[in-house]
Amino acid sequence: MDRDSLPRVPDTHGDVVDEKLFSDLYIRTSWVDAQVALDQIDKGKARGSRTAIYLRSVFQSHLETLGSSVQKHAGKVLFVAILVLSTFCVGLKSAQIHSKVHQLWIQEGGRLEAELAYTQKTIGEDESATHQLLIQTTHDPNASVLHPQALLAHLDVLVKATAVKVHLYDTEWGLRDMCNKPSAPSFEGTYYVEQILRHLIPCSIITPLDCFWEGSQLLGPESAVVIPGIEQRLLWTTLNPSSVMQYMKQKLTEEKISFDFETVEQYMKRAAIGSGYMEKPCLNPQNPNCPNTAPNKNSSQPPDVGAILSGGCYGYAAKYMHWPEELIVGGAKRNRSGHLRKAQALQTVVQLMTEKEMYDQWYDNYKVHHLGWTQEKAAEVLNAWQRNFSREVEQLLRKQSRISANYDIYVFSSAALDDILAKFSHPSALSIVIGVAVTVLYAFCTLLRWRDPVRGQSSVGVAGVLLMCFSTAAGLGLCALLGIVFNAASTQVVPFLALGLGVDHIFMLTAAYAESNRREQTKLILKKVGPSILFGACSTAGSFFAAAFIPVPALKVFCLQAAIVMCSNLAAALLVFPAMISLDLRRRTAGRADIFCCCFPVWKEQPKVAPPPPVLALNNNNGGRGARHHPKGCNNNRVPLPAQNPLLEQRSQAGGQAGSSHSLASFSLANFAFEHYTPFLMRSWVKFLAVMGFLAALISSLYASTRLQDGLDIIDLVPKSSNEHKFLDAQTRLFGFYSMYAVTQGNFEYPTQQQLLRDYHDAFVRVPHVIKNDNGGLPDFWLLLFREWLTNLQKTFDEEIRDGRLTKECWFPNASSDAILAYKLIVQTGHVDNPVDKDLVVTSRLVNSDGIINPKAFYNYLSAWATNDVFAYGASQGKLYPEPRQYFHQPTEYDLKIPKSLPLVYAQMPFYLHGLTDTSQIKTLIGHIRDLSVKFEGFGLPNYPSGIPFIFWEQYMTLRSSLAMILACVFLAALVLVSLLLLSVWAAFLVILSVLASLAQIFGAMTLLGIKLSAIPAVILILSVGMMLCFNVLISLGFMTSVGNRQRRVQLSMQMSLGPLVHGMLTSGVAVFMLSTSPFEFVIRHFCWLLLVVLCVGACNSLVVFPILLSMLGPEAELVPLEHPDRISTPSPLPVRSSKRSGKSYVVQGSRSSRGSCKSHHHHNYKDVNDPSLTTITEEPQSWKSSNSSIQMPNDWNAPLPNYGGYHGAGGVGARDSRPASYAAPPPAYHKAAAQHPHSHPHPQQQQHQHQQPPPPFPAATVYPPELQSIVVQPEVTVETTHSDSNTTKVTATANIKVELVTPGRAVRSYNFAS
């Protein structure tokens, strides 16, 4: 057969354009079908990275198989997916949310976690104190609060607020039920005096009012105490403790009632309880209730508040209740002598019990016997009272216009921070619903096709967005089932992040879904874009999994949950969404509109009559054997067709007539990227400006990042309009007050290492921000108070033994109680088997000359001190554990044995801190104290600091190093993953370089926005790496898999990736913008702003800088053609073998066979069962050049095409070809073509071996050029064998070339050429 006589589609030489050569197969070969790229390399038509292409072909093969299975079982896949996702969503019911600070920021396995665990294990609680704070400021920042009116307003608020009650568990609870107060001395037997003392001892309230008589109004008691014989009802406003005690002692002595008044007197003497508030000045000297003993009673001059408050105030027990000036007065200014001249704020601290203390206090009380009293119920009572306290203050300010007109009063409790964290740790349902609704609306509008409703994708796009929401919820449910706890970062960010990145997958899949109308669409979609989605999601999820090794719980939990949700969304995108596409294909095949497909009839466009178009010219040389097989009217002359840009997706217009002007405007991001955006980006001056701008931004960001500060202000954690926010602002700005404790542990010999303990305590004098007493030193801690008590006992003992009141063997009735107790203590040996030795009275002392307590009997003495000096023991806040054993001293008790307490494993020294207004100061303080701790650890004293500054700010000591380490792990993991996925180290290096630069710019933007570095920004930074990796990997993949020079490949890559990236960024931006509705400044600043910065930086660098970087330094393409610069050589078709026995067609090199031959063949009787192999037929590339060409025209979604002879409709080729997308995907350029109806003249020899079905009669020829749908040039090869008696085999090959012109709703016009 003459090769030149074969009809051909014009090649690309001259001015005739073959559109097929410019389809994705020819210019994005390894992206569309990596197997074709391998064939090109094997045949020497191209060179490239065979390993990378082979791996890509493996991925594509598996994804293609997956797509076929999903399409075949679409309904089953959806049903199973709904069941699985619903099951995981149920797991959200078991989700645990951590909202306490130590649960979020404390490093796992770090020293702080070990310290808190030790505290919890020993004393049973993490917190050492609970405070209810109240701050009063003036409206005018230049005004002062150092005048009586301000303090009286302070008093009015406190009196009403401390009187609040809370009703829980059928019980009423008040302040006295839960406040810290000194313990009353205990007595043997039941005495009403002891009950009176317990009723009179008030709560400990640190307040500037204690400098004045009015401070007594806070102490109560609620009901006046009546003492027999005293007509006056006792309240602290009228109580002089010393006078009352003397009166009671005299009265009971007269009545000959025995009572140990000496113990009470010693109790008052040690605590320096004297006249109470009776001798303190009055804020209002004219007040009739002001006591006559007040120094300014009836004075016409107001008191000098500044002078009185200078140096601090003293409570009713002056020795243990000294309130430092820095604690009660804020924003102070002084005169030359150091006295207060002006102050901006007053502060009161109501000291409450901790949860465990309250539980222990009421455990055996009749009040809770019916409750099933637990520590959790104690915490609930505490929190309820604190909330009522705050509510009462707010109501009072609304009622008392006099106070609110001049002052601002703010309330804050130590439980409020945890409550606020718990509040915003729960996701905002409204924000999520709005974010989902906006994303759904965006997907609906962008995927809707007004002019082409059948090919519209809005319904499947909306289903995809809802699927991503469903899979995100399922992923979070899986995290809950796995025991991964939730926190503010995971609940506020992960849903929006997952939705944005998941919708990016949906837009990539819908973009591929829109490209062609093949019935086997699903496998082609996954084959094309599946690797891109898989690689991008794996890079992002891999980065998150790598970041999960960071020890900070908030970071670790966030990264694990983000990685799991990313994997969940990836599975939904690759398994479930293709099933939705498969179902939508049925709707498209039926010709129904995208919206309300079941409500509207089949969509058909009205035909338009147009003049006859130019005749399609097929290359056919006259003469030769094949001339007689050509149809009549077929011209063999080449007619030049207008050259068009084959990469632009355009709609064919009907002859340029004005009738098409009614169509709505169409905009394609792929069209825009190729036609406008990328050419503009590739201009030299644009490149220069972009690179210079990028370098300038990078350098300035690096400089700005050096000034990035650490810190997460507590004020950011509360809503800006709340009372707590205003309190924290004033407290941080004017006071900076915190409490801390220096804890000493077990495995330490306290009795013999007393000097080391004292040195450790004294070392805190040199620590900045520690509040000193009025002598410039530190308040005494438990060991010093213990020693002082023993020293006083020793002094009394020495005096009375000289007076002969005691001897070595006994004591006499005139001996004092303290001397008798000292005698009992001195004779203690410290040995359990021989506890008492009276010889020690002469040789032993309680405290030696060096101030060291007798080490041998140290724990015996401790038992006596904790029980008999309860005021000092409670005021020390030592929290000794194990608690010392009780020993109640009775002078009449002759048993000398004193129980020995267990060795201490926990003790603490309290300190107050002030002036800590920013993170840098707190970090300096923590560093100083930690150095001190390590120093004494080296001396053999196991110790650690405790308190809010360490729980909340300790993270900043190692945050930068931890973040640097985890970012290094992320980048290393990303480099390995991207190198494996792209199989190009240079491409991976460029991707990592771009992400690094973006990260530096984000650091700079944080400095400019005033966002400080903390755990939450650290999470966002790790997230940004994953997001920008996803962006850059998609662009790099398009660049690597395209054919041509760098600039052309950038153009092709941006054409493919701009649309999905822009859609993904916009949907992510919409989701993030929903966070701006949060009432928390914390969420807005650290989540919304920072995530928007990440998206903006990622968009600029990924869509502007990175393509320019690739155009200048990009790696070589995976496939480099050798024959043509911008496309591969025309690939060989897939040979088809027809079996006469079974009537089946077999693809020799394909992946599967197609049942049902298009023609019925004449069957011969074979004795040999073997057919000759087609692989022995020599390939003739030129004869196959025009094979399987298809030109798509508009509106090919109309009614399905009938099957004429061998034509299989829109899916005919796909049914026989294992790679239909490769060979049948249309180019985006179009030609107008038409032909008249031919008459087929088959060759006589062909009629011998073939019985063809006659074509059906055609109606009168009417040309509808605008409705021309496709031209299919489809070679069919039939191989027939004949066996002769001489064992020779004759092979006859007949090629049929059919040109079918298809118009909607009309018969197929078929032109058959036989060779």
Side-chain angles (χ1 to χ4, degrees), residues 1100-1233:
C1100 291
N1101 288 345
S1102 298
L1103 301 181
V1104 178
V1105 180
F1106 192 61
I1108 294 176
L1109 184 65
L1110 289 178
S1111 70
M1112 296 187 295
L1113 302 173
E1116 189 179 43
E1118 286 183 346
L1119 186 69
V1120 180
L1122 300 179
E1123 295 183 5
H1124 306 286
D1126 295 336
R1127 68 172 181 86
I1128 64 171
S1129 300
T1130 306
S1132 302
L1134 295 176
V1136 179
R1137 156 179 154 189
S1138 178
S1139 171
K1140 294 184 181 233
R1141 297 191 189 100
S1142 59
K1144 301 177 183 178
S1145 296
Y1146 296 93
V1147 179
V1148 176
Q1149 297 176 352
S1151 59
R1152 68 184 183 92
S1153 63
S1154 175
R1155 293 182 180 271
S1157 176
C1158 60
K1159 298 180 184 291
S1160 59
H1161 298 279
H1162 176 71
H1163 294 266
H1164 296 270
N1165 294 324
Y1166 288 99
K1167 297 179 182 179
D1168 189 359
V1169 297
N1170 296 320
D1171 289 336
S1173 174
L1174 287 179
T1175 57
T1176 60
I1177 301 177
T1178 305
E1179 177 188 342
E1180 295 181 358
Q1182 296 300 324
S1183 64
W1184 295 98
K1185 184 174 181 181
S1186 61
S1187 64
N1188 209 15
S1189 178
S1190 177
I1191 305 174
Q1192 295 282 344
M1193 296 302 289
N1195 302 326
D1196 57 354
W1197 38 262
N1198 284 332
L1201 300 176
N1203 187 357
Y1204 294 102
Y1207 184 72
H1208 292 263
V1213 179
R1216 300 175 51 179
D1217 192 347
S1218 64
R1219 297 196 301 265
S1222 304
Y1223 291 93
Y1230 304 105
H1231 285 222
K1232 302 173 185 178

Side-chain angles (χ1 to χ4, degrees), residues 17-92:
V17 179
D18 180 6
E19 292 88 346
K20 180 175 72 65
L21 299 179
F22 292 92
S23 64
D24 284 343
L25 176 66
Y26 285 76
I27 56 180
R28 298 186 180 98
T29 310
S30 57
W31 181 69
V32 173
D33 194 337
Q35 188 62 45
V36 174
L38 282 177
D39 293 340
Q40 293 280 309
I41 295 176
D42 292 340
K43 294 176 181 177
K45 298 179 180 180
R47 61 180 176 84
S49 174
R50 180 179 176 84
T51 305
I53 297 174
Y54 172 73
L55 289 179
R56 201 175 311 286
S57 70
V58 172
F59 278 114
Q60 289 180 347
S61 174
H62 289 298
L63 289 169
E64 185 178 9
T65 304
L66 174 65
S68 298
S69 301
V70 168
Q71 182 172 3
K72 185 177 180 181
H73 307 285
K76 299 176 184 176
V77 170
L78 274 179
F79 178 74
V80 173
I82 291 173
L83 287 181
V84 173
L85 294 177
S86 301
T87 302
F88 287 149
C89 286
V90 175
L92 289 172

Side-chain angles (χ1 to χ4, degrees), residues 568-761:
S568 173
N569 286 352
L570 176 63
L574 294 182
L575 294 175
V576 186
F577 189 63
M580 293 180 173
I581 290 178
S582 301
L583 296 178
D584 189 67
L585 273 172
R586 303 178 186 179
R587 188 268 312 162
R588 179 183 289 190
T589 304
R592 292 190 175 273
D594 181 35
I595 311 172
F596 304 115
C597 58
C598 298
C599 302
F600 293 110
V602 175
W603 183 278
K604 292 185 180 180
E605 185 172 321
Q606 294 297 326
K608 307 177 186 64
V609 181
V615 178
L616 175 66
L618 298 178
N619 184 19
N620 180 24
N621 296 331
N622 294 328
R625 263 182 83 183
R628 63 176 178 262
H629 307 304
H630 299 165
K632 294 181 180 181
C634 190
N635 196 335
N636 64 339
N637 296 327
R638 293 187 178 184
V639 178
L641 298 177
Q644 303 178 35
N645 190 336
L647 298 172
L648 300 180
E649 192 142 342
Q650 301 171 348
R651 286 292 180 187
S652 177
Q653 302 299 326
Q657 295 182 359
S660 62
S661 61
H662 70 280
S663 299
L664 295 176
S666 176
F667 177 78
S668 169
L669 282 173
N671 187 0
F672 172 75
F674 190 87
E675 188 177 25
H676 304 289
Y677 179 70
T678 313
F680 173 78
L681 208 60
M682 293 297 105
R683 294 180 182 178
S684 299
W685 65 271
V686 176
K687 286 184 179 181
F688 176 78
L689 290 179
V691 171
M692 289 298 103
F694 171 74
L695 292 177
L698 181 60
I699 294 172
S700 60
S701 298
L702 290 173
Y703 172 74
S705 62
T706 59
R707 297 185 289 112
L708 181 63
Q709 297 181 357
D710 292 342
L712 175 62
D713 296 333
I714 301 181
I715 191 173
D716 290 335
L717 297 177
V718 296
K720 203 165 189 178
S721 59
S722 66
N723 189 47
E724 288 83 1
H725 185 279
K726 298 172 183 176
F727 171 89
L728 289 171
D729 178 56
Q731 205 274 342
T732 304
R733 184 166 41 87
L734 301 175
F735 290 94
F737 160 74
Y738 299 96
S739 61
M740 68 153 287
Y741 302 89
V743 177
T744 54
Q745 302 172 257
N747 299 322
F748 177 74
E749 201 169 356
Y750 285 85
T752 60
Q753 298 292 333
Q754 297 175 45
Q755 185 60 46
L756 185 59
L757 277 173
R758 287 157 49 188
D759 292 342
Y760 178 59
H761 177 261

Side-chain angles (χ1 to χ4, degrees), residues 395-567:
Q395 293 175 357
L396 180 64
L397 292 178
R398 284 195 294 267
K399 296 176 183 178
Q400 297 281 353
S401 59
R402 178 182 60 85
I403 298 176
S404 59
N406 300 308
Y407 307 105
D408 292 320
I409 297 180
Y410 311 123
V411 181
F412 191 82
S413 65
S414 55
L417 181 61
D418 289 337
D419 289 342
I420 292 168
L421 282 171
K423 182 179 179 181
F424 83 81
S425 293
H426 290 82
S428 172
L430 179 62
S431 296
I432 293 177
V433 169
I434 294 175
V436 171
V438 173
T439 307
V440 166
L441 182 62
Y442 178 84
F444 179 82
C445 294
T446 53
L447 298 177
L448 185 63
R449 295 193 178 187
W450 295 100
R451 298 189 302 169
D452 197 350
V454 174
R455 295 187 64 187
Q457 300 165 293
S458 57
S459 59
V460 73
V462 168
V465 173
L466 297 178
L467 172 65
M468 287 299 107
C469 298
F470 198 13
S471 66
T472 299
L476 293 175
L478 177 60
C479 294
L481 292 175
L482 293 176
I484 302 175
V485 296
F486 290 71
N487 55 45
S490 57
T491 57
Q492 294 287 340
V493 179
V494 170
F496 300 100
L497 162 69
L499 180 62
L501 294 180
V503 171
D504 188 20
H505 301 334
I506 298 301
F507 278 110
M508 291 183 66
L509 289 165
T510 53
Y513 177 42
E515 288 183 0
S516 64
N517 293 314
R518 298 283 175 182
R519 288 179 181 170
E520 295 185 5
Q521 185 74 299
T522 307
K523 70 173 185 179
L524 307 182
I525 292 173
L526 289 182
K527 187 176 181 181
K528 268 189 178 182
V529 300
S532 302
I533 295 174
L534 185 64
F535 295 169
C538 286
S539 300
T540 307
S543 301
F544 281 130
F545 275 122
F549 289 101
I550 197 166
V552 178
L555 293 169
K556 181 175 183 178
V557 166
F558 173 85
C559 294
L560 276 177
Q561 289 176 338
I564 291 174
V565 172
M566 287 288 294
C567 293

Side-chain angles (χ1 to χ4, degrees), residues 295-418:
N296 65 339
K297 172 69 175 177
N298 294 325
S299 173
S300 60
Q301 297 293 327
D304 187 354
V305 174
I308 296 173
L309 291 178
S310 296
C313 296
Y314 292 87
Y316 64 90
K319 184 173 182 179
Y320 302 121
M321 293 184 174
H322 173 235
W323 317 135
E325 175 191 309
E326 298 86 350
L327 189 57
I328 56 178
V329 179
K333 294 184 180 179
R334 309 173 187 278
N335 57 20
R336 292 184 179 180
S337 62
H339 281 203
L340 290 172
R341 179 174 57 87
K342 183 180 179 181
Q344 294 178 277
L346 301 172
Q347 178 173 255
T348 292
V349 181
V350 180
Q351 300 186 75
L352 303 176
M353 298 179 187
T354 62
E355 299 172 7
K356 187 174 186 301
E357 287 174 341
M358 187 173 179
Y359 169 74
D360 294 338
Q361 175 77 15
W362 293 95
Y363 179 71
D364 288 329
N365 195 285
Y366 72 93
K367 192 174 182 177
V368 297
H369 282 172
H370 66 289
L371 301 183
W373 187 241
T374 62
Q375 190 167 325
E376 289 73 20
K377 290 183 178 179
E380 190 173 347
V381 171
L382 276 169
N383 292 335
W385 187 88
Q386 291 177 14
R387 294 187 190 100
N388 279 9
F389 184 95
S390 301
R391 194 177 302 115
E392 180 68 23
V393 172
E394 293 175 3
Q395 293 175 357
L396 180 64
L397 292 178
R398 284 195 294 267
K399 296 176 183 178
Q400 297 281 353
S401 59
R402 178 182 60 85
I403 298 176
S404 59
N406 300 308
Y407 307 105
D408 292 320
I409 297 180
Y410 311 123
V411 181
F412 191 82
S413 65
S414 55
L417 181 61
D418 289 337

Side-chain angles (χ1 to χ4, degrees), residues 964-1130:
M965 178 190 68
I966 205 62
L967 284 176
C969 293
V970 168
F971 280 114
L972 182 61
L975 181 64
V976 173
L977 281 172
V978 177
S979 299
L980 291 175
L981 297 175
L982 298 179
L983 286 174
S984 172
V985 177
W986 179 243
F989 174 77
L990 291 179
V991 169
I992 299 301
L993 182 65
S994 175
V995 175
L996 272 173
S998 301
L999 196 62
Q1001 292 172 352
I1002 293 173
F1003 275 114
M1006 287 174 60
T1007 305
L1008 295 177
L1009 292 174
I1011 300 175
K1012 297 179 181 179
L1013 183 62
S1014 65
I1016 291 298
V1019 169
I1020 305 300
L1021 290 171
I1022 296 171
L1023 158 68
S1024 67
V1025 174
M1027 291 180 67
M1028 287 179 288
L1029 268 178
C1030 190
F1031 298 157
N1032 291 344
V1033 164
L1034 180 60
I1035 296 175
S1036 301
L1037 190 62
F1039 181 81
M1040 294 283 294
T1041 55
S1042 299
V1043 173
N1045 56 26
R1046 287 194 181 109
Q1047 182 167 330
R1048 173 183 167 85
R1049 286 189 284 137
V1050 168
Q1051 205 168 359
L1052 295 174
S1053 175
M1054 294 304 293
Q1055 182 192 23
M1056 179 184 71
S1057 57
L1058 182 67
L1061 286 181
V1062 168
H1063 289 314
M1065 290 175 183
L1066 288 178
T1067 51
S1068 299
V1070 168
V1072 169
F1073 189 73
M1074 290 299 105
L1075 296 174
S1076 63
T1077 60
S1078 174
F1080 297 96
E1081 183 72 13
F1082 169 73
V1083 175
I1084 296 174
R1085 287 173 60 85
H1086 291 80
F1087 288 135
C1088 182
W1089 286 11
L1090 196 51
L1091 282 170
L1092 288 177
V1093 166
V1094 170
L1095 287 173
C1096 293
V1097 171
C1100 291
N1101 288 345
S1102 298
L1103 301 181
V1104 178
V1105 180
F1106 192 61
I1108 294 176
L1109 184 65
L1110 289 178
S1111 70
M1112 296 187 295
L1113 302 173
E1116 189 179 43
E1118 286 183 346
L1119 186 69
V1120 180
L1122 300 179
E1123 295 183 5
H1124 306 286
D1126 295 336
R1127 68 172 181 86
I1128 64 171
S1129 300
T1130 306

